[in-house]
Each structure stands twice: as structure tokens, then as C-alpha cells.
Amino acid sequence: MSDVRMTTAPRGPATPRRRRRVLQPRAVVTIALAWVLLGDRVTWGNVVNGVLIGLLVTYAFPLPSIEFQGRLRPHRLLLLIGHFLVDLVASSWQVMRLAFGRRRPRNAVIEVQLRSRSDFYLTITAELVALVPGSVVIDARRSTSVLYLHLLDVEREGAIETQRAHVLAIERRVVRVLGSREEIAALESGGAWPTPSSGATPSTRPGTTDEEDLA
């Protein structure tokens, strides 16, 4: 039986941005490529049909705009990958011990209030958490930047808070890899998350002083 432990997440003023119907060439190309691969052969007809379907899908169901103000830092990306691989090995070992052990694990569903207010960082953080065995993202709230996780084996004292702190550490590393100086400063100081007008001009389409990395 799962143990459900939650806290009330503060409601932020941010709301999901309105989806605009604009041309999304990368999404169209991706859908067209998938359509061609589903066919038995590559023909001009399949290519044209794929492009038309891609245009129809992107205009009927436009993707939300994602604001990205920062830049990629390769050395911090390597550190992020290293931390992820360590988490992957440690969690896999824990799951294997539970699978072959006799103790029945005690599970829990928790919520984690992220500190950033970006769909971009929310998505990457959720993916990194979900890829590690033993934790599953069951819901994500864009309006409040909250992740809901199902955790495996929280029998140890303080395991809930440890896992919550672990998710926030992942978010911190992600922002340090991709964030702007203003975003990193806001994350470290706990101040208000910068709006597009307070930093560099952001991209409205999906896609697109540094401090010592968190140990």
C-alpha cells in the first residue's frame, strides 16, 4: 500500500501562455519524416502527404511557446551527465536489492515545488528524474511548476525530504547548464524568477557570475 504525503504548493501568478498558431517548421519536418518512415517506400506522394499532415497537426494543435534566455555550458553539461550516471547506477542497485529481497517496500507519492518558472527547465528536470529507476513523474503542473512523483521505498527516516532535495538539485544543475546569469542568480538567491523583459530577449519558439557546480 502506498503512503501519500503531500504539501500544499503555493500558487504563483504565472499561467500557461496562450498557444499561437504559427508555422513550426521543425515540428512539421519531424511529423513528415515519421509519416514517410511509416510508409513502405519513399515517394513524392508520401513526402507531400507528410508535410500536409504536419501542417495540419501543428496548426490544429499548436505547441506552447517555450522561453529560453540562456546559453549552453559544455563543462557543466558534462557534470550533469556524470551526476545522472551516478544516480542511474545507485538507483538500479537499489531496485535490484528490493527485487531480490524479502522486505516489502513502502512507497509514496510526493510533490516537489520547483524554484524555476520555465516550461523548458520543468520538462528537462522531469525527464532526468523519470529516467532514473525508482522514481516516476505522474504529473506536472505548468502553472505552478510542481512535479508529482511516485517513489519506491521510502522506509528510511528522512527519505521523503532527501528525494525532494535531490529533485531540486537536478533542477539546479539543469539551470546552471542552460540558464542565463539572471536565472542562475535568481535560483541561488531564492529571488523572483526573471521575466522575459528583465533579461535577454527570449525566443518564443521551442528549441532554442557562473558559480561552482553543486556537488
Side-chain angles (χ1 to χ4, degrees):
M1 182 175 180
S2 296
D3 179 28
V4 180
R5 307 182 187 181
M6 293 186 179
T7 58
T8 302
R11 293 183 175 272
T15 56
R17 289 170 286 280
R18 185 179 180 182
R19 302 185 182 188
R20 301 185 302 168
R21 286 177 170 79
V22 295
L23 179 63
Q24 298 176 319
R26 284 175 290 185
V28 172
V29 171
T30 302
I31 295 173
L33 179 61
W35 178 265
V36 172
L37 292 176
L38 289 173
D40 57 348
R41 55 184 175 176
V42 179
T43 65
W44 283 111
N46 281 341
V47 173
V48 172
N49 288 337
V51 171
L52 292 177
I53 292 174
L55 290 171
L56 176 63
V57 169
T58 54
Y59 272 89
F61 308 101
L63 295 173
S65 60
I66 295 179
E67 298 169 354
F68 176 49
Q69 307 179 40
R71 61 182 179 86
L72 176 65
R73 297 170 178 83
H75 64 292
R76 296 195 183 278
L77 177 59
L78 293 176
L79 290 172
L80 175 65
I81 294 174
H83 278 290
F84 171 74
L85 293 177
V86 171
D87 292 340
L88 190 63
V89 172
S91 297
S92 298
W93 172 250
Q94 179 189 14
V95 172
M96 185 179 69
R97 288 181 59 189
L98 289 173
F100 289 98
R102 297 182 177 181
R103 181 173 61 87
R104 185 176 182 180
R106 183 184 182 188
N107 305 326
V109 174
I110 68 170
E111 67 176 30
V112 182
Q113 174 66 62
L114 300 183
R115 291 165 293 189
S116 65
R117 291 295 182 270
S118 167
D119 295 342
F120 189 45
Y121 304 136
L122 172 70
T123 302
I124 297 176
T125 302
E127 291 294 337
L128 290 175
V129 172
L131 288 173
V132 174
S135 58
V136 178
V137 178
I138 59 177
D139 194 14
R141 300 291 175 86
R142 294 180 58 212
S143 58
T144 55
S145 294
V146 173
L147 293 180
Y148 293 90
L149 310 178
H150 179 274
L151 304 180
L152 179 65
D153 190 23
V154 290
E155 191 69 31
R156 299 187 312 275
E157 184 70 23
I160 296 289
E161 292 307 318
T162 298
Q163 184 61 35
R164 185 177 282 116
H166 179 66
V167 174
L168 293 178
I170 293 176
E171 178 200 26
R172 187 179 183 183
R173 295 183 193 117
V174 169
V175 175
R176 285 178 166 180
V177 170
L178 298 167
S180 64
R181 287 191 176 90
E182 292 80 7
E183 290 173 334
I184 295 175
L187 192 72
E188 297 294 339
S189 64
W193 190 254
T195 59
S197 59
S198 64
T201 302
S203 168
T204 57
R205 300 292 301 282
T208 96
T209 34
D210 291 352
E211 302 178 20
E212 183 180 352
D213 196 271
L214 182 66

